[in-house]
């Protein structure tokens, strides 16, 4: 019998429907799992077992009446700390934030709650979400369940840890340069960065999205059926669309034109084991009749450095407003990076921001003759848990985001799905990128790969 904590969201919902399992039983199993994992993992913030139990009892009563409140009713899951939930402070990962309870649920949290998800906790993140790491001045250090010495990635660090450790099947993060896909890749999860505006979010920003982080494509699709509903609070959201998010099976691969982007263009050198795993994944598509052809990287050093200039100044705009005693509480790596934004001239910052437009044009030109693009999610596998990034240098903060950040700026959907493991047993992510607005197409491609990849190796078990 499959352990309860290994069941997908569709499997849990079906078990509630046929009464072979109740939401209370599922929630208790996950809470026990968390008790075994969390002292070593550090994935959670505002953990609320009593609230989860109460929500599970309410869900159980609805299922007994045959009247679930939504497609996620009774399914346990988590929400990233920077997605507001009513009554819970939003520290944004930093000790510099004044802790004030949120007045209302942000759009993604509201949709998940309305659909009946049992909210177990928020998940940890680094200061201001500006690291691909679980390192934070406010939260405990998040670790990777596949190897507790290693980093889960970030900024959706706790979400990656929680998903891989089995803290329920449903988790949501945010992504402005790779913060859903990078931890998903390093933790062996499915992580979707949807088209900008597909999931309403508050506050919205250039390139910023919320996205599911789950163990299976089916889980991600089920979450999207809820998360993509409209919300007036996001002035950058897309018009409501009738999308059958559960129609993820049956993707035809024959004749598809797929670009294979193996080089990053700027930043870290691609590791050999990552290269081999992604090329093997591409061959599975090719074997089914897809036309897979190498394409050059579209990221340049000028693009990456320009974005760094812009983001430093953007972060300094927040940090500069803090009292000196509060500014001193920020993680030193991030504080030094943000303070350097004061040294950028206005012209330098504008030129940096304009590189986002250059990225958009390059992405549009690339996709003129392609249906999808395959690439590594990251140039390397995970790195030490207490590092801020794979190179751990605040002067080179974005050397690892070249495969992911372009698609935030071009507003295209991109998903990371596990495509193998290193010799040390660390997950490797394959990124599948689609045309703007073709979020369902990206999920169908991920499901096609998931089906052909075969069973993933067993998920890590709680430490003794």
């Amino acid at each position: 019998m499959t352990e309860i904590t290994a069941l997908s969201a569709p499997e849990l919902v079906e078990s509630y429907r046929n009464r072979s399992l109740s939401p209370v039983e599922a929630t208790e199993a996950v809470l026990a799992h968390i008790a075994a994992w969390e002292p070593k993992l550090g994935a959670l913030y505002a953990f609320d077992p009593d609230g989860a139990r109460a929500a599970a009892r309410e869900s159980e009563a609805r299922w007994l009446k045959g009247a679930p409140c939504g497609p996620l009713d009774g399914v346990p899951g988590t929400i990233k700390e920077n997605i507001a939930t009513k009554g819970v402070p939003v520290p944004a990962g930093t000790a510099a934030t004044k802790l004030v309870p949120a007045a209302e649920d942000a759009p993604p949290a509201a949709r998940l709650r309305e659909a009946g998800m049992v909210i177990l906790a928020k998940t940890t993140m680094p200061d201001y979400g500006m690291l691909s790491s679980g390192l934070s001045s406010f939260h405990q250090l998040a670790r990777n369940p596949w190897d507790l010495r290693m980093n889960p990635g970030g900024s959706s660090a706790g979400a990656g840890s929680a998903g891989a450790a089995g803290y329920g099947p449903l988790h949501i993060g945010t992504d402005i340069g790779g913060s859903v896909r990078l931890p998903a890749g390093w933790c062996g999860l499915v992580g979707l960065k949807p088209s900008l505006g597909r999931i309403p979010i508050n506050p919205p920003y250039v390139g910023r999205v919320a996205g599911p982080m789950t163990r299976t494509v089916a889980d991600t699709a089920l979450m999207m059926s809820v998360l993509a509903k409209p919300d007036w609070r996001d002035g950058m959201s897309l018009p409501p669309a009738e999308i059958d998010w559960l129609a993820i099976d049956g993707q035809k691969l024959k004749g598809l034109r797929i670009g294979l982007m193996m080089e990053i263009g700027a930043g870290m050198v691609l590791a050999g084991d990552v290269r081999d795993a992604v090329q093997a994944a591409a061959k599975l598509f090719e074997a089914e009749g897809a036309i897979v052809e190498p394409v050059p990287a579209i990221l340049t050093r000028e693009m990456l450095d320009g974005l760094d200039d812009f983001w430093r100044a953007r972060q300094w705009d927040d940090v500069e407003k803090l009292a000196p005693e509060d500014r001193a509480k920020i993680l030193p790596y991030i504080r030094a990076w943000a303070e350097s934004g004061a040294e950028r001239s206005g012209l330098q910052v504008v030129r940096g921001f304009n590189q986002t437009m250059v990225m958009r044009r390059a992405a549009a030109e690339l996709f003129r003759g392609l249906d999808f693009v395959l690439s590594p999610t990251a140039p390397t596998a995970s790195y030490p848990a207490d590092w801020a990034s794979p190179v751990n240098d605040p002067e080179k903060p974005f050397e690892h985001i070249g495969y992911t950040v372009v698609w935030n700026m071009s507003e295209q959907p991109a998903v990371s799905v596990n495509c193998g493991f290193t010799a040390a047993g660390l997950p490797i992510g394959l990124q599948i990128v689609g045309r703007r607005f073709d979020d369902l197409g990206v999920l169908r491609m991920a499901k096609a790969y998931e089906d052909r990849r075969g069973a993933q190796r067993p998920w890590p078990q709680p430490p003794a």
Side-chain angles (χ1 to χ4, degrees):
M1 179 179 176
T2 302
E3 290 185 14
I4 293 173
T5 54
L7 294 174
S8 69
E11 288 170 334
L12 284 174
V13 169
E14 179 55 32
S15 71
Y16 301 159
R17 184 173 289 113
N18 64 32
R19 300 195 180 183
S20 62
L21 186 67
S22 78
V24 170
E25 292 171 319
T27 298
E28 289 295 345
V30 172
L31 291 175
H33 203 62
I34 291 171
W37 261 116
E38 187 59 12
K40 298 286 183 69
L41 202 59
L44 301 184
Y45 161 68
F47 180 38
D48 185 13
D50 291 339
R53 289 186 173 102
R57 289 192 295 269
E58 293 170 0
S59 174
E60 182 178 64
R62 291 190 292 269
W63 279 106
L64 289 173
K65 294 176 182 176
C69 69
L72 309 181
D73 204 350
V75 180
T78 70
I79 297 172
K80 188 178 178 180
E81 181 250 273
N82 65 343
I83 299 173
T85 52
K86 186 176 181 179
V88 179
V90 183
T94 178
T97 302
K98 303 296 185 186
L99 298 181
V100 178
E104 61 182 4
D105 286 342
R111 299 295 87 76
L112 294 172
R113 198 187 301 272
E114 292 163 2
M117 189 178 90
V118 174
I119 300 173
L120 301 164
K122 310 295 286 291
T123 48
T124 57
M125 60 181 281
D127 291 56
Y128 300 109
M130 292 309 300
L131 294 178
S132 292
S133 172
L135 197 62
S136 166
S137 65
F138 180 83
H139 299 295
Q140 58 189 325
L141 179 66
R143 297 177 179 274
N144 194 318
W146 294 95
D147 184 337
L148 293 173
R149 298 168 299 178
M150 306 303 284
N151 210 299
S155 65
S156 304
S161 298
Y167 290 17
L170 305 180
H171 309 273
I172 184 167
T174 60
D175 188 319
I176 199 171
S179 290
V180 160
R181 289 157 291 159
L182 291 169
W186 286 322
C187 292
L189 302 174
V190 176
L192 174 66
K193 185 209 78 68
S195 299
L196 185 77
R198 181 67 72 197
I199 297 176
I201 192 169
N202 188 32
Y205 198 77
V206 176
R208 184 173 188 255
V209 303
M213 299 173 66
T214 69
R215 286 182 169 186
T216 71
V217 180
D219 284 328
T220 287
L222 187 61
M223 288 188 82
M224 287 301 295
S225 72
V226 168
L227 291 166
K229 293 179 179 179
D231 193 297
W232 66 268
R233 290 173 286 176
D234 184 351
M236 299 174 74
S237 61
L238 297 175
E242 292 296 325
I243 299 174
D244 184 0
W245 290 105
L246 304 187
I248 55 175
D249 291 304
Q251 173 69 48
K252 303 298 183 184
L253 301 179
K254 187 174 182 180
L256 287 178
R257 295 187 63 85
I258 300 175
L260 179 60
M261 185 182 289
M262 296 303 299
E263 298 306 322
I264 195 170
M268 297 177 67
V269 174
L270 182 64
D273 45 11
V274 176
R275 180 184 297 275
D276 293 346
V278 172
Q279 288 179 333
K283 291 184 184 302
L284 290 181
F285 289 102
E286 200 168 30
E288 297 280 343
I291 303 166
V292 180
E293 52 191 9
V295 294
I298 58 176
L299 185 76
T300 65
R301 188 78 251 173
E302 187 176 15
M303 291 177 189
L304 196 61
D305 289 346
L307 192 61
D308 185 18
D309 286 337
F310 169 62
W311 277 349
R312 285 176 192 252
R314 170 182 172 265
Q315 193 62 58
W316 176 239
D317 181 45
D318 291 330
V319 171
E320 187 271 340
K321 298 169 186 174
L322 297 174
E325 61 270 21
D326 290 327
R327 193 183 303 170
K329 298 175 184 177
I330 300 171
L331 192 74
Y333 182 108
I334 291 297
R335 187 175 68 249
W337 176 77
E339 287 174 345
S340 70
E343 302 166 5
R344 269 61 179 175
S345 70
L347 183 59
Q348 191 174 4
V349 173
V350 170
R351 286 174 174 168
F353 177 79
N354 285 344
Q355 289 300 317
T356 68
M357 300 297 109
V358 179
M359 291 183 200
R360 290 174 71 99
R361 289 195 294 273
E365 179 65 23
L366 175 70
F367 267 83
R368 187 165 61 169
L370 297 174
D371 299 301
F372 298 94
V373 165
L374 305 180
S375 80
T377 303
T380 186
S382 187
Y383 47 96
D386 59 354
W387 283 20
S389 74
V391 297
N392 205 33
D393 182 352
E395 291 306 310
K396 299 178 180 179
F398 301 135
E399 300 299 291
H400 58 289
I401 67 171
Y403 290 111
T404 53
V405 70
V406 171
W407 315 117
N408 293 79
M409 301 306 120
S410 69
E411 303 184 7
Q412 293 172 243
V415 65
S416 179
V417 59
N418 178 254
C419 68
F421 291 81
T422 68
L426 296 172
I428 297 169
L430 166 72
Q431 183 176 229
I432 304 172
V433 186
R435 293 179 177 272
R436 194 168 172 226
F437 310 133
D438 189 19
D439 304 71
L440 181 59
V442 162
L443 286 183
R444 289 174 63 88
M445 287 289 285
K447 183 62 162 60
Y449 174 70
E450 185 181 63
D451 289 343
R452 289 159 178 79
R453 175 196 68 191
Q456 189 170 339
R457 66 174 61 183
W459 292 92
Q461 293 302 304

